[in-house]
Amino acid sequence: MYSGTEFLLKPIFSRGVSASLHLVLLLVLLFSWVWRKLRESVSHKTEGSKERFNRRGVLWYNKTLVGCLSLSVLNLVLCLLSYFYWHRNGWSDDKVVTLLDLVVKTLSWGAICVYLHTQFFNLGEKKLPFLLRVWWGSYMLISCYCLVTDTVLYRNYLLLSIQYLVSDVVSVITGLFFCYVGFFKRSEGENTLVQEPLLNGNSNVSDDVGSRIKSRGADNVTHYSTAGLFSLFTFSWMGSLIAVGYKKTLDLEDVPQLDRHDSVVEAFPIFRSKLEADGGVGSGVTTLKLVKALILSTWKEILLTGFLILLHTMATYVGPYLIGTFVQYLTGRREFKNEGYVLVSAFLVAKFVENFSEIHYFFWLQQVGIRIRAVLVAMVYNKGLILSCQAKQECTSGEIINFMTVDAERVGDFSWSMHDPWIVLLQVFLTLFILYRNLGLASIATFLAIIIAMVPNFPLGRLQNRFQVKLMESKDTRMKATSEILRNMRILKLQGWEMKFLSKIVELRMGEAGWLKKYLYTSAMTSFVFWGAPTFVSVATFGACMLLGIPLESSKILSALATLRILQQPIQNLPDTISTIIQTKVSLDRIASFLSLDDLKADVMEKQPTGSSDKAIDIADANFSWDVSSPNQTLRDINLKVFHGMRVAVCGTVGSGKSSLLSCILGEVPKISGNLKLCGTKAYVTKSQWIQSGKIEDNILFGKEMDRERYDRVLEACCLEKDLKILPSGDQTVIGERGINLSGGQKQRIQIARALYHDADIYLFDDPFSALDAHTGSHLFKEVLLGALTSKTVIYVTHQVEFLPAADLILVMKDGKIIQSGKYSGILNSGTDFMELMGAHKQALSALESIDGAPVSENVNTSKENCGTSSNGGVVNKEEHKDIQNDKAEEVAEAKGQLVQEEEREKGRVGFWVYWKFITTAYGGALVPFILLAQILFQALQIGSNYWMALATPVSEDAKQPVGGFTLITVYVALAIGSSFCILCRATLLATAGYKTASVLFNKMHLCIFRAPMAFFEATPSGRILNRASTDQSAVDLNIPSRVGSLAFSIIQLLGIIIVMSQVARQVFLVFIPVIVSSIWYQQYYLPSARELSRLVGVCKAPVIQHFAETISGSTTIRSFDQESRFRDTNMKLMDGYSRPNFQSAAAMQWLCFRLNMLSSITFAFSLIFLISIPKGVIDPAIAGVAVTYGLSLNTLQIYFIYNLCNLENKIISVERILQYTCTPSEPPLVIEESRPYRCWPSYGEVYIRDLQVRYASHLPLVLRGLTCSFPGGMKTGIVGRTGSGKSTLIQTLFRIVEPAAGQIMIDGINISSIGLHDLRSRLSIIPQDPTMFEGTVRSNLDPLEEYTDEQIWEALDKCQLGDEVRKKEEKLDSKVTENGENWSMGQRQLVCLGRVLLKKSKVLVLDEATASVDTATDNLIQQTLRLHFSDCTVITVAHRITSVIDSNMVLLLNHGLIEEYDSPSKLLGNKSSSFAQLVAEYTVRSNSSLEN
């Protein structure tokens, strides 16, 4: 028994008091937590008010939190050390109480950390709780008491170890700090502490995560740019974003902006300057120069990562180097005192250096990859913006999209493998060094075995390279075809060709899949060779030892196995590295070849400053040709002088070179000879309308600042005000891709408004009024050309002769030459060509006047009208019309929806069904069990072979060898062969399953896309679809199967290690369980953010593709407005937006890896300390050595497992996105067997429409609002009305492109909604508004379904006046048609469309603005052809030219989706107040004035 004073000095008392107080605190904190949860469940108030604190307060909060966390960790370490030490040397009451004290302290200080985090992060408290201040005071007192008693005992009796004094000193110091914070810092009031996430080391964090998140995300720069050293080391600067992602679904505005060094805005100029300095400009770009520029622009990061990976490699070999000594220590051979602790310390320090260097070089390499990808995309984009026309024919938009989505991505991903080639050599050297130290000359055999194992590299590498090149070429071809089909999907559906073109895509995919299969099986063989290589090297090494008589001890064997195990990873990764290098080289070659294509020549046009010359355009003796190598020049002997303020009209027949003349003035056509000078700024309006997706306002402003007064004037002049009132959101309405949700006339007027608002000096109009009805065209001609642009230089191409008299100069073109020029009156009688045009116009007018004895203009008072006004007569009276308009306004006010919605993305955890769908797609998942079984057997055989070598060899030289040398090697070889066979089966089965899965998903997605309704394509930018068909499909083809396999394999390997280590000491589970629980918690904490960041990567990629696709199609317009720099800037912003989630995703992964590394190091440390603490002889040293051998790779495998898990979760989103499109709602069936029309339907062609109502989407207003009428069979019906009145919508409904909301359409008594779409569309014919030709041949464009003979095709060509043009070409019917038919004029393309319907010979023919793009003479020719060959057919004509419908039997006039007038032309013209009469009067007045001038 002790006396009272003595007992107070004993450790059992001081530690007991300390443990009791900490236990009381723990219980109070637990009670507090339970009480708060109960209150929250009642009040539902989980958040308090949070305010921003000052910078000083942030620091105190961090220090307080770090102090509490440090005390918890310190007590945990002391607890483990004490446990092992006392377990070995015996226990006492003092030691038990002390251990209990350390356990309770660890838990208590951990609980305080959680309490602080909860109080200040979740509840937003602004001052320290009273409980904490009381506790810190008590803790300070007990710490001082323990320090005094331990000091007295240590000095007087020497009973205690020095570590207790160290613990007491630390406790007193931290107690002083806590007391200072708790009591003396109170004077600073509310600013003492700050709310901040527990795991966040950065201080610049917004407190209000809930309410202020949107304001902080997109505007704040990443905390990486301001993080401190400790925060950088531990990736704590990521804590705030991960905390936000854990609490809510991350949105793009939550993701901070990139640091300026990582932004492409800063990185691209550096890269470009390096490339230009090396002569890499224009055609001088080579792969070598591209690589040099990339290296020079990132050399600092490359050197830093090289140093880190060198450090990492050296650290990884410390364990194998020391493991022999460690096994000898366990056998009892010890060279000095505390050798075990020194060895453990060396192991742990090396492991820390390995972990630290690994996560940082991974992060830096990903950073480099993000930057490289961004600069390459910017380079490709800039090149696409200035690509010459001839170069565009060599490289289509689909191929260029692949450069951005696949090739640049692949080069960026190569950064992961950048250092692998030289690191493998270093690892081989270190392996040989350690083996030589242990096994002597047998290391030579190891070296030879490594070389032999690498020999298959070369033939397999060459095969992979070849297959990769072919695979990418096939992918380019498929993507090019897919891109073209998506652009023209409306035409395909109108013609009923979509399934035929789907079969073409499937056929192209089959060719691609052939190369994919070869590539995958070659990769499987490579995987087999290199997974088996380490086993082969081991067999060769140990076999050489037997032959050379080198004694094998378990310590040497284990050191060799550990060394070869480290070499196993790079050798196993070597196939992937080689594959990556090959893929990267192919991608770099492709990008370099693209960058070396010809640019537009800068010397084509000499630009002069505004006002420097009296001539706006001066062309002298110039010759131009689209194809420089062709002997036939596009434009010849061009001489033209245009003075400022002149209006110049250009006319001529189809294909005469009118559009090419405007293109040469813009500098687009290569100049063969002569001079071209341009003075002033220019604006250009194309014939084929180019509209950007986005708001109407943005399309009109086109980069200019808003001037409201000028903007309103432009809207009025372009007759857009009424259209904007009808549209759901006015000028804020988002236009679909290529203006898909606007009519042709609306798109054209927006184009004109864009040019008008630009206020340029020179205006170039390419047939601007072809898409407009007569009334609107007349209004725009007066308001724009004769009004707003009176003082400007205007050159306009037109097929409408009535617009010619207003010109100061008329140019008549034929065969690429200006054959006549002068004023209207001057050239009227001076040449035959102009007279032919005028003769055709007079002929059309005479047809007008013949209907009603006298010219209509004489009897109709044509007052000046507003653009959209028309007299109400016929069907709708004024009162009714007014009511309908009021209803319309209400409907528009309610339906403020947009057609184009944000891209859909799943939120939250990737559903298990996605994984299940993926693994069961191939053969119902039948191969999966066999793949897993092969891997399990491989792992079991590998572990068994290591156990065999450890147990079958003596522990020391003087020990007896358990088995003979031959038996030793024979069994080992048998196990090695078995494991290699398992790898071969696994690799082959995985390749088979991956190939089948990719093929099935591809076919399903494309079938669903092609069967989707047109509304899907209108609301879905093609960039989203192309992203899935390109990037996501590429991931499914090449990455995801291997990722799924790697995850399963790493789980099996990890379980194998745990089993091996547990065989040594089941006590390891004491640490394994909390470590695994912590790892799972960290993973669950991290995954929500990582998942959403990965989804955001996919969402942010589509705008980059879409913007690029729009840029390529509108590059001429962009250059003509001198907007290249703005579009480049936009591309860079989009790329930075794409890189933002990429960067944060990379950092988040390293944030997780750092913490898991620390946890795995704790497990490893526990195992080592346990092994040196147990008495000798308890565990076989060889078995312990095997456990340590596997333990050395524990953290690497754990990281590999988490990396695979997270990477798979990120990559599997590609499958999720593909599966999204496999669930796309489909159109009605193509064929309904029980409701098929008879073979000759329609035989009469009568169309009856009853109460037809149509809207484009459920959230949009009605476009057709109750039409009832009939089109007589075998007769011609004309449909007219101003732009946007619903003419094209009616036609789309007839073909069921849009399904009726109500009502029905009957053709020959059959409701078209009751039959299959293919049966309907294949029996009708249409010449669409946009003349479309596909890349291929003349034959394939006229007869895509291959139903007609060459004779029939030639007959159709002759009928549409294209026979002679095609016969001039060498290949005749096989003559090449380029992408979008760019090598054919707009008028010729329209004639090809006429040829298609002549071949089809349907009973119902629809002409939707079919002659808008041709001159009057060609229009007359088309009308004559139709009258001749379709005299007994029902012809429905939608036209803006009155002459195209004036000879119809009936005329239907639409206004705002209602029938305003419907009768024969003669009756309508007889009613002088009818709207149709007003329309004809306007046209004839304008036309007669042209003839009289």
Side-chain angles (χ1 to χ4, degrees), residues 1264-1276:
L1264 299 180
R1265 300 182 290 157
L1267 304 190
T1268 300
C1269 63
S1270 64
F1271 302 151
M1275 299 180 70
K1276 186 175 181 181

Side-chain angles (χ1 to χ4, degrees), residues 1038-1099:
L1038 300 172
N1039 292 329
I1040 296 179
S1042 61
R1043 295 292 179 203
V1044 173
S1046 296
L1047 176 64
F1049 307 153
S1050 59
I1051 291 173
I1052 293 168
Q1053 287 178 296
L1054 199 57
L1055 290 174
I1057 288 181
I1058 292 174
I1059 292 169
V1060 169
M1061 293 183 72
S1062 301
Q1063 288 295 313
V1064 176
R1066 289 180 177 81
Q1067 290 89 338
V1068 172
F1069 277 110
L1070 294 174
V1071 178
F1072 259 134
I1073 291 171
V1075 164
I1076 289 172
V1077 169
S1078 301
S1079 298
I1080 292 172
W1081 182 86
Y1082 267 119
Q1083 179 202 332
Q1084 295 303 313
Y1085 184 73
Y1086 153 85
L1087 269 180
S1089 302
R1091 188 187 304 121
E1092 298 310 320
L1093 285 170
S1094 183
R1095 285 182 174 134
L1096 287 171
V1097 168
V1099 169

